[in-house]
Structure formats: C-alpha cells, structure tokens
Amino acid sequence: MDNSHVALVSMMLKSESFSPFRCDRNIALGINLTSLTKVLRAAQNEDILTLKAEDSPDVVNLVFEDPKTDRFSEYDIKLMDIDQEHLGIPDTEYAATVSLPSAEFQRICRDLNQLSESVAIECTKEGVKFNCSGDIGSGSVSLRPHTNVDDETQNVEINLSEPVALTFSLKYLVNFCKASGLSKQVRLCLSNEVPLLVEYGLANNSYLRFYLAPKIGDEE
Amino acid sequence: MALLVDKHRPRTLDTLSYHPDLSERLRSLAASGDFPHLLIYGPSGAGKKTRITATLRALYGPGVEKIKIDSRVFQTTSNRKLEFNIVSSNYHLEITPSDVGNYDRVVIQDLLKEVAQTQQVDLAAKQRFKVVVINEADHLTRDAQAALRRTMEKYSPNLRLILLANSTSNIIAPIRSRCLLVRVAAPTEVEIAGVLAKVGKKEGYKSCEPLEKRIAKDSARNLRRALLMFEAVHAQNDIVNEKTPIPPPDWEALIDVIAKEIVEERSPARILQVRAKLYDLLTHCIPATTVLKTLTFKLMPKIDDSLKADVVKWSAFYEHRIRMGSKVIFHLEAFVAKFMRLYEGNLLGMDIDWDD
C-alpha cells in the first residue's frame, strides 16, 4: 500500500514463467525496491536471471548470466524484516470490465491530467467515458467497443452488468500507466463503491495489478 | 532488548492499570458503529498514546500494531521540498506535523486531503473510515489548525482524527468543538507504585515497597519516567533495598552541574564552558525549552528571593525567542549571560536599569 493508503499494488509471477522453478516452502522476502532497482540495472537485456534464497534468509541472491559472453554476475541483496500483515485482496465480481490498449489508456490519463487532478469514469452500454473538469475548462474522452481485425491488441472490449460511475485521482493513474511497457493490453475493472482494478496481464497467467480507491463525491 | 516501558505497555483496553472508567468509555466507543473525532489531552507520561493504540486495536484488530515508517516529500508554494515521516499500519496513519515547523499547513492540506478524499482501498477493512492520529496537536500553527478544521468537517464520513495534546489551551475553539475531548489524568502515586510492583513481579525483581513509593514520588506523577527510573535502579544495582539511591536522568544531572557552575563564577570564560555543556544537551535531542525550564527551576533555590521574579521573567522572554528563532543556542546562552548579569548586579548591590 502507498503512504496515504489510497493505492495497492499486487504482482504475481506464476511458476510456469520460470524454468527451473523450485520452492520447498512458502517464505516471505522483504526486499527494498530501491535496492532491487539498483541491482537490476547491472543486468543486460539478454541476461538470464536466477533468484535464490535460503531457508531462513537474510539475503536474496541474484545471478545474471550472459549466454553469449559467458559472463557471470552474482549479487546479494539484504532483506528487510517487513512485519506487515499480508493484505488479502478478495477476487470480487466487477460490474464493468473494459479492455483497451495500454498505450491508449496512458495517452488518455496523460491528456486529462493536464486539465484536472481527478477523472470521472462512466461505463454505460454505449461505451466508457473519461471526463474531467478543471480551472481552464473541461474535457472528455469516449471509447466505444471495437475490434481491430489486423491487430488484436488494439481491441477495445466492454463487458457490463450495470452502469458504473466513479471518480479517481489522476496522479495515481498516471503512475499506474508506467507499467504500459509490460503488456499491450490493459484491463480496467470497475464496480460501484469498490476500488478500481487496473490489470496488466503478463505471460503465463502472471499479472501486475493496481487497485485505486475511488474519491468521495462531495468535492467542492 | 526492549525497555520496561515498552515491554510491559498494555496492549488492550482490558489490561490498562488505571482509569477504568476511561477504558470503559473507550471500549463502548469502539464497539459502537460510529466513532467521533477525538482530542485526547493530559500531562506527559499519563498514558494517552497507550490508550489510543489500545482503542485502535479494539477498532481494527491486532494488525494495528505492525507499523512501518515511510518518508514522504511535500512541496510548498515557495518550491521548497519538505521531507516528512509517516508512521502507518495497514489500518491507520500517524503523523507529527509540527516536525516540519512552520509548513505544517502544507502537510495537513495535502496529505489529509488525499487520505480523506478516497475510500478504503482495503476491501476487508473492519471500518468504513480511516483513522489518522496527529501527535503534538498543540504545537500546530494557527494556519494548520484552520486547515484542519475544514478537513474535519468535510470529510468526516471517511476520516476520523485522533489528536494528541498536552493541553487544550493551544487548540482553537472550532477544533475543540468538533472533537470529543478525553482527558487522561496523571496517575496518582499509589497507582504508579502499583504499576511498578506489577512490572517488578513480571520481571522477577524482589519487591521493595518503600523504594517503589520513593520512585513514584520522584517521578512527578509521570508513569513513563517512573518506569525508566525503576529500570535504571535495577540495572545499576544487583540488590535493591529501600535505601538505594535513585539516579536522576543524565540530562537533569548535567543541568544541575550547569546551574552550579553559573552561580559559582560569572565570567565569559565560564559562559564558554557552559556552552559546551549546552551543546551536549542539544545534540542529545533534549528540547531547548525543556533545558531552559529545567535550568530555571534548578537556579531558583540558589538565588535571593528578590531576584526570582526577574529571572523568571527573562527565562520566559528567552523561551519566547527560542520558539520564534531558528538557532536555539543563541537564546540559551543569552539567558545564561543575562542571569549572570542579574546575579552579579544583585551581589554588588547595583540596581540595573534595563531599557528593553
């Protein structure tokens, strides 16, 4: 969860994405993301990455192997003792599910962020509408479902069980869109009174999910 | 190796040692569906923080005790970046806005608005509202309190504030009227002695009633101080009996030495020596106002009755300067110099005429 308890991030990398994958027991590793980023920068794009941790770990071991040059880098990152309660996010049934290209979503969020700091997302049978109003004026982007025969990832798909209208903070949505590089499509799940789910699907059923709590309607 | 103060701190409302009627009230508040904004006030060491944690535990469950500290950067209107620490568990946030000094209004506006405007992101949360605990609420500036009042009013369906203060005199009336005031009185000496006996039994110390009574008396009804003194006595002596001396906190002993030195010799050389000791205190995070107040009280018995009123007046003057200024050592030394002047003048029988 973030500092102000407004957003949640959940990332799942399924065991099928790894080869080999061996995990004898469930363990929780507390890793400082800043340290992890620093170490990962040392890797090159084509490297093979291996993660290892002992039974009662106080370091996690990362090995980068470059198959072509036979270069072997090994890093140990100290672990943190994160004594946090694990937040279980129940899989709820969402009233509306929208799939759209992630670049499109990123564009919409960036454009509307210029106008105002919050966006109202409305999902109806006709399509999904993002509108915002700010000091200089107001703006809105409407997307209708369409299928692109040539490129499946440009599809916009809407599944609706009841109309949904919620307001969210654009500051966080823009941050979520930074994951657009991971997947061509992004899935937005909305339901009234329930946090928004922004999901980037990864290979082998893995995912990166962001949850964002809706804003309360009584704004000035 | 936790201190006795933290190791034996009661975690639930049931295990609190004193003020049972207060615990009853807090328990029924937590059990009812709705919870008001709270303003908890009382002297230092009376148990305000302990009671708040126990109430939060009654509200949200034991997950409240797992806390982490994050740092967040805020930007003021003058483009100055402030770094600010937020202590949080999964269910609540705890902030001390007076840490950033005069910019606490920015922290209140930005952070609290963000927390308050959004619903709970954790779907399994026990309560619909989020709780923010504000420490040292009586050190908030007027602007911050005005910003707080608006936030409290508007976002109360979503946000509940718990304000902690030493006294309500510095809290503006609109905020006081929007909160339920809860006074946590200082424990009596009998209650403190009872707590010390209980802790001693849990730790396996030999019970020594006269010593516990003495500690309770010396602690000035501050339970935290009593527990620390208790632990210090047992750490320094293997066998305790009623005659064992109770060591005062180090900083107080040092201020005692400073007071003695100031009265002994009044000269610039002595001021320089005292400066080193004052720096020692300041680098150990003893707040400057505490140093000044304690020093004044330690000087009182050493001077003539005719001087006392003047010394107190100048002490108050320099305390005001400390609050307004940014480099406290200037004002502390100014007080020392002024005191020396007053004392010297009194000794020589001069009547000093101050223009300011």
Side-chain angles (χ1 to χ4, degrees):
Chain A
M1 245 202 298
D2 79 315
N3 277 347
S4 3
H5 291 201
V6 163
L8 261 173
V9 170
S10 167
M11 181 169 192
M12 160 79 92
L13 294 170
K14 292 263 160 87
S15 50
E16 289 85 49
S17 316
F18 296 87
S19 67
F21 184 88
R22 177 179 76 88
C23 180
D24 298 329
R25 277 180 317 121
N26 289 347
I27 42 173
L29 302 167
I31 307 182
N32 187 332
L33 283 173
T34 335
S35 323
L36 185 63
T37 324
K38 285 184 194 165
V39 168
L40 283 179
R41 283 219 188 103
Q44 281 147 327
N45 281 345
E46 304 302 328
D47 279 0
I48 300 178
L49 161 65
T50 312
L51 288 162
K52 275 189 254 177
E54 323 225 318
D55 261 355
S56 335
D58 46 35
V59 284
V60 64
N61 176 279
L62 283 90
V63 176
F64 304 121
E65 295 168 45
D66 189 343
K68 281 182 268 174
T69 62
D70 245 350
R71 194 181 118 118
F72 201 75
S73 329
E74 189 172 335
Y75 293 91
D76 278 331
I77 304 184
K78 291 190 195 154
L79 291 175
M80 300 202 299
D81 194 18
I82 301 185
D83 190 24
Q84 276 238 291
E85 240 187 42
H86 186 68
L87 280 170
I89 304 156
D91 273 323
T92 37
E93 273 297 313
Y94 288 96
T97 308
V98 182
S99 302
L100 66 159
S102 47
E104 178 72 42
F105 187 51
Q106 191 171 27
R107 198 68 214 284
I108 296 176
C109 289
R110 275 213 206 122
D111 290 343
L112 294 179
N113 197 18
Q114 304 294 329
L115 280 175
S116 151
E117 68 113 23
S118 62
V119 62
I121 305 185
E122 279 166 37
C123 247
T124 56
K125 277 201 302 287
E126 277 88 51
V128 58
K129 191 163 169 211
F130 301 85
N131 45 19
C132 74
S133 59
D135 288 341
I136 61 171
S138 61
S140 96
V141 176
S142 306
L143 289 175
R144 253 168 261 274
H146 81 264
T147 32
N148 192 320
V149 184
D150 303 312
D151 191 357
E152 213 183 59
T153 58
Q154 296 296 326
N155 282 353
V156 175
E157 220 182 276
I158 304 183
N159 291 331
L160 200 57
S161 70
E162 56 166 16
V164 180
L166 290 169
T167 314
F168 298 101
S169 164
L170 272 167
K171 191 171 81 151
Y172 287 90
L173 286 178
V174 166
N175 276 336
F176 293 173
C177 289
K178 288 196 186 140
S180 297
L182 286 175
S183 158
K184 289 266 170 44
Q185 279 249 315
V186 63
R187 200 165 70 109
L188 303 172
C189 302
L190 301 107
S191 210
N192 276 321
E193 302 291 317
V194 159
L196 163 75
L197 165 59
V198 179
E199 181 171 340
Y200 290 90
L202 306 168
N204 293 359
N205 237 355
S206 309
Y207 56 75
L208 173 58
R209 284 191 186 153
F210 296 99
Y211 295 85
L212 178 61
K215 279 192 159 181
I216 324 292
D218 53 358
E219 292 179 58
E220 43 227 317
Chain B
M1 228 339 320
L3 294 172
L4 287 184
V5 174
D6 294 319
K7 212 157 96 173
H8 296 286
R9 195 186 284 265
R11 303 234 188 276
T12 59
L13 288 170
D14 302 321
T15 42
L16 289 166
S17 315
Y18 51 90
H19 297 323
D21 44 347
L22 190 55
S23 313
E24 189 52 50
R25 258 173 99 199
L26 290 172
R27 204 177 295 130
S28 53
L29 262 183
S32 80
D34 211 356
F35 197 72
H37 297 298
L38 285 180
L39 171 53
I40 312 224
Y41 64 104
S44 230
K48 307 182 285 286
K49 216 22 144 19
T50 310
R51 277 165 181 76
I52 291 198
T53 319
T55 312
L56 283 174
R57 197 190 148 122
L59 273 175
Y60 290 108
V64 166
E65 292 172 10
K66 301 206 168 95
I67 51 181
K68 65 182 199 298
I69 306 186
D70 280 319
S71 186
R72 208 171 132 148
V73 177
F74 288 94
Q75 199 158 41
T76 65
T77 41
S78 47
N79 274 347
R80 187 178 140 155
K81 286 207 168 32
L82 302 164
E83 205 183 297
F84 182 66
N85 284 333
I86 305 180
V87 176
S88 63
S89 77
N90 277 343
Y91 308 100
H92 79 286
L93 285 156
E94 207 177 292
I95 57 177
T96 311
S98 40
D99 273 350
V100 289
N102 282 331
Y103 294 104
D104 49 3
R105 181 179 54 89
V106 175
V107 166
I108 300 254
Q109 277 179 345
D110 289 347
L111 179 64
L112 280 194
K113 257 178 79 172
E114 209 174 274
V115 173
Q117 271 178 344
T118 47
Q119 295 174 4
Q120 286 273 29
V121 70
D122 178 13
L123 294 165
K126 273 194 184 169
Q127 315 281 351
R128 243 195 77 207
F129 47 82
K130 304 183 194 177
V131 172
V132 174
V133 178
I134 298 188
N135 287 327
E136 294 184 18
D138 46 353
H139 290 188
L140 287 174
T141 57
R142 292 275 172 276
D143 291 337
Q145 293 191 34
L148 191 59
R149 146 200 194 175
R150 191 95 168 81
T151 311
M152 272 166 82
E153 219 170 55
K154 233 178 166 221
Y155 299 115
S156 63
N158 235 31
L159 177 71
R160 297 290 189 275
L161 289 171
I162 301 187
L163 302 169
L164 278 166
N166 275 342
S167 93
T168 51
S169 54
N170 229 8
I171 312 257
I172 58 179
I175 293 202
R176 266 185 277 151
S177 68
R178 281 168 179 70
C179 295
L180 176 65
L181 271 71
V182 175
R183 180 168 173 266
V184 181
T188 61
E189 287 176 17
V190 173
E191 284 167 348
I192 294 187
V195 172
L196 291 178
K198 205 163 77 169
V199 170
K201 203 155 69 149
K202 276 200 210 143
E203 286 288 310
Y205 296 152
K206 212 171 64 121
S207 124
C208 178
E209 259 197 56
L211 178 67
E212 285 155 16
K213 284 213 187 76
R214 262 173 63 214
I215 295 183
K217 198 148 152 290
D218 274 347
S219 68
R221 290 177 73 180
N222 181 332
L223 183 56
R224 181 190 297 128
R225 212 165 132 160
L227 280 167
L228 290 170
M229 285 162 125
F230 189 60
E231 190 169 358
V233 163
H234 280 279
Q236 283 183 351
N237 310 294
D238 283 325
I239 312 178
V240 285
N241 55 36
E242 54 189 60
K243 295 278 190 311
T244 319
I246 307 173
D250 276 347
W251 56 273
E252 252 191 61
L254 187 54
I255 296 189
D256 224 348
V257 170
I258 294 181
K260 223 168 12 166
E261 285 188 355
I262 297 180
V263 172
E264 252 172 16
E265 189 193 321
R266 287 132 338 261
S267 67
R270 191 41 71 93
I271 296 189
L272 220 52
Q273 287 172 357
V274 163
R275 180 191 296 177
K277 297 203 174 60
L278 286 175
Y279 265 127
D280 205 5
L281 286 167
L282 291 175
T283 48
H284 279 88
C285 291
I286 314 283
T289 44
T290 313
V291 171
L292 187 53
K293 244 197 239 173
T294 319
L295 182 57
T296 313
F297 285 131
K298 296 241 184 264
L299 287 171
M300 283 290 124
K302 299 190 200 283
I303 56 180
D304 232 8
D305 279 347
S306 53
L307 267 187
K308 286 188 183 165
D310 272 329
V311 169
V312 171
K313 179 184 118 189
W314 286 108
S315 169
F317 177 77
Y318 285 113
E319 191 200 346
H320 181 60
R321 285 273 176 91
I322 285 181
R323 277 198 203 273
M324 305 225 296
S326 50
K327 209 160 157 66
V328 296
I329 186 70
F330 286 157
H331 309 294
L332 286 173
E333 250 191 57
F335 172 68
V336 171
K338 183 73 94 190
F339 175 83
M340 287 187 177
R341 194 88 169 85
L342 280 171
Y343 195 75
E344 189 76 30
N346 185 278
L347 273 189
L348 298 176
M350 278 177 3
D351 200 11
I352 311 213
D353 186 14
W354 302 108
D355 290 326
D356 42 345

